Amino acid sequence: VQLQASGGGLVQAGGSLRLSCAASVRPFSRYAMGWFRQAPGKEREFVAAISRNGANTRYSDSVKGRFTISRDNAKNTVYLQMNNLKPEDTAIYYCAADSNAILLTVVVDHSRYDYWGQGTQVTVSS
């Protein structure tokens, strides 16, 4: 199982980025997906999660209203649209897949995830 995250980069505060995570898992619709991030010297934290069918989503308070998670099961890809970026959003962003979630569940707990991508760096300058 491979998760390949991409789309990170350097952006000014107030800018936008869209992260993508392409999954080799089959069928992709069997996996709940999530995004987490880790800033230097800090623990990995939850960012956003989406249920297997995309019907349910959840966000951390720090990104709610600015980030949007979505998925395209036909393309085996989950996305994280990040708008109005702030310097405190600077981190390595990881996508993760949970093979045990039921259809409508969103998974917030990082320990529930079976598979992790390699991460993509997001740097927001002030």
Side-chain angles (χ1 to χ4, degrees):
V1 174
Q2 290 188 335
L3 301 176
Q4 183 69 43
S6 62
L10 173 64
V11 64
Q12 289 187 333
S16 299
L17 285 173
R18 187 175 84 152
L19 305 184
S20 299
C21 175
S24 67
V25 293
R26 297 287 191 276
F28 184 60
S29 60
R30 288 188 59 184
Y31 294 78
M33 300 297 294
W35 286 96
F36 293 76
R37 67 186 182 187
Q38 188 167 18
K42 295 186 177 181
E43 294 186 352
R44 189 171 298 191
E45 66 170 346
F46 167 75
V47 176
I50 190 166
S51 61
R52 287 168 49 186
N53 63 356
N56 294 325
T57 58
R58 188 169 297 178
Y59 301 90
S60 68
D61 288 343
S62 61
V63 308
K64 195 175 297 182
R66 300 187 297 122
F67 291 11
T68 302
I69 188 171
S70 62
R71 65 189 295 161
D72 185 336
N73 285 348
K75 295 183 178 180
N76 290 0
T77 302
V78 63
Y79 304 97
L80 186 68
Q81 177 67 43
M82 305 185 295
N83 298 328
N84 190 22
L85 282 160
K86 304 176 180 180
E88 52 263 42
D89 295 318
T90 295
I92 300 174
Y93 284 70
Y94 299 90
C95 59
D98 176 5
S99 63
N100 298 305
I102 59 176
L103 184 63
L104 299 178
T105 299
V106 289
V107 182
V108 176
D109 183 355
H110 68 89
S111 67
R112 292 269 308 271
Y113 285 91
D114 306 287
Y115 306 105
W116 292 83
Q118 85 290 357
T120 184
Q121 176 71 48
V122 172
T123 303
V124 184
S125 63
S126 57

